[in-house]
């Protein structure tokens, strides 16, 4: 990495890739500042893995200016490889070897002295809660354990930029949370993370910035908050004791009244200012709501709005 903290850890401009006639990436721009988490969010076949492979020098783009750690991925591929760690969508774990052996092998690949390699392996086994199973063959590991070992192997070389391709797909909610904790710790230590995910919740939880990828194009990019703001549908939902109060409230603040459940939905960005304004106007009109809930659009709403389709169960086309 260049010493200038202003240099983005990852920068791609006009990234393109086709397989024969099929355009897989159609001009992608990505900038990831150092020490942040960037999430590439998209359904099956969107081009996530292809992007990761190009950024990590495993695949050549057809076109585009791509720099990782300040180095050009084509002209300076070796320099890029020295800076990065990659946990692919499919495991790099050798199932016939034990967890410890897998880690030691990574140490050898990084040309670490044996003593150093052993020290790092013990440290990672402890950190990833794998010490008890360290001497079992990896084929006996559960999916979550195997995923943790896979990430631990990526960390042997202490990379400053880490690519995680769907790190939590197939994990149960608890293992997923464990993985999130590990990823947050890495970033707290100054590491830059680019992760791909199909889960809106995951991008929302972890990422400083999210790019929504659909059919090889970035259809939206921003902080989770910015993306949510792109989407209409945010509202304040007020509940009233009776029809008289409901009608009076609708007159005072507008919105859509529902006579059946005595609620009023007032369009809002969910911010404090808009909430205060609605409550002030009700107060002036002498109306007291019984209940209040704020609905901010979630990332599911964002994806639906941007692509016209939900993220889940969308088949490769
Ligand atoms: N080696 C290849 N040859 C031909 N087409 C390919 C190749 N690799 C990927 N593709 C196509 O490129 C598109 C994007 O694939 P990619 O693996 O990048 O998607 P993805 O977003 O990672 O999907 P998933 O969520 O299923 O992992 C798909 O339509 C896929 O069929
Ligand atoms: Mg993939």
């Amino acid at each position: 990495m260049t010493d200038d903290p202003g240099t983005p850890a990852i920068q791609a401009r006009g990234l393109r890739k086709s397989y024969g006639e099929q355009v897989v990436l159609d001009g992608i721009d990505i900038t990831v500042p150092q020490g942040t988490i960037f999430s590439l969010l998209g359904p099956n076949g969107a081009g996530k893995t292809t992007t990761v492979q190009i950024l990590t020098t495993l695949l050549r783009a057809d076109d585009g200016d791509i720099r990782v750690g300040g180095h050009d991925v084509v002209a300076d591929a070796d320099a890029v490889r020295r800076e990065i760690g990659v946990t692919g969508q499919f495991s790099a774990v050798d199932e016939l070897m034990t967890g410890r052996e897998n880690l030691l092998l990574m140490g050898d690949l990084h040309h670490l002295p044996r003593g150093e390699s052993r020290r790092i392996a013990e440290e990672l086994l402890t950190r990833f809660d794998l010490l008890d199973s360290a001497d079992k063959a990896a084929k006996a590991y559960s999916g979550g354990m195997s995923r943790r070992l896979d990430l631990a192997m990526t960390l042997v070389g202490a990379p400053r930029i880490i690519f995680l391709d769907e790190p939590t797909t197939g994990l149960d909610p608890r293992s997923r949370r464990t993985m999130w904790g590990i990823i947050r710790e890495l970033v707290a230590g100054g590491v830059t993370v680019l992760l791909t995910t199909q889960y809106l919740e995951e991008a929302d939880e972890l990422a400083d910035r999210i790019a929504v990828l659909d059919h090889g194009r970035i259809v939206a990019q921003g902080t989770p908050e910015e993306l949510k703001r792109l989407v209409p549908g945010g509202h304040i939902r007020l509940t009233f004791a009776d029809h008289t109060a409901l009608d009076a409230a609708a007159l005072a603040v507008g919105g859509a009244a529902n006579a059946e459940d005595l609620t009023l939905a007032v369009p809002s960005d969910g911010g404090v200012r808009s909430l205060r304004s609605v409550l002030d106007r009700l107060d002036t009109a002498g109306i007291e709501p019984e209940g209040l809930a704020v609905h901010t659009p979630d990332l599911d709403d964002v994806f639906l709005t941007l692509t016209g389709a939900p993220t889940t169960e969308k088949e490769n086309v």
Side-chain angles (χ1 to χ4, degrees), residues 45 47-50 89-90 165-166 196:
K48 302 182 297 295
T49 297
T50 307
Q89 183 167 5
F90 304 103
D165 196 358
E166 298 197 27
T196 76

Side-chain angles (χ1 to χ4, degrees), residues 186-316:
L186 287 172
V187 176
V191 168
T192 306
V193 173
L194 181 144
L195 70 91
T196 76
T197 182
Q198 305 185 30
Y199 304 116
L200 298 156
E201 184 202 2
E202 180 158 288
D204 199 7
E205 275 282 334
L206 289 178
D208 296 299
R209 285 183 73 77
I210 298 170
V212 182
L213 191 63
D214 191 45
H215 292 106
R217 285 173 192 268
I218 290 178
V219 291
Q221 186 163 180
T223 64
E225 292 313 313
E226 282 167 353
L227 291 184
K228 286 178 198 170
R229 245 181 269 139
L230 287 178
V231 178
H235 60 265
I236 301 167
R237 195 177 164 85
L238 301 157
T239 317
F240 296 93
D242 51 44
H243 288 102
T244 317
L246 176 63
D247 292 345
L251 211 59
V253 298
N258 182 334
E260 247 169 59
D261 58 6
L262 297 173
T263 59
L264 183 67
V266 186
S268 154
D269 61 4
V272 173
R273 192 185 294 265
S274 112
L275 187 58
R276 188 179 292 131
S277 150
V278 168
L279 291 178
D280 281 350
R281 276 182 285 156
L282 286 177
D283 210 33
T284 307
I287 310 158
E288 185 83 16
E290 285 220 312
L292 177 151
V294 177
H295 174 88
T296 41
D298 59 20
L299 281 171
D300 264 315
D301 298 326
V302 174
F303 208 88
L304 211 59
T305 307
L306 293 172
T307 68
T311 49
T312 46
E313 281 147 19
K314 186 167 158 181
E315 273 310 302
N316 202 351

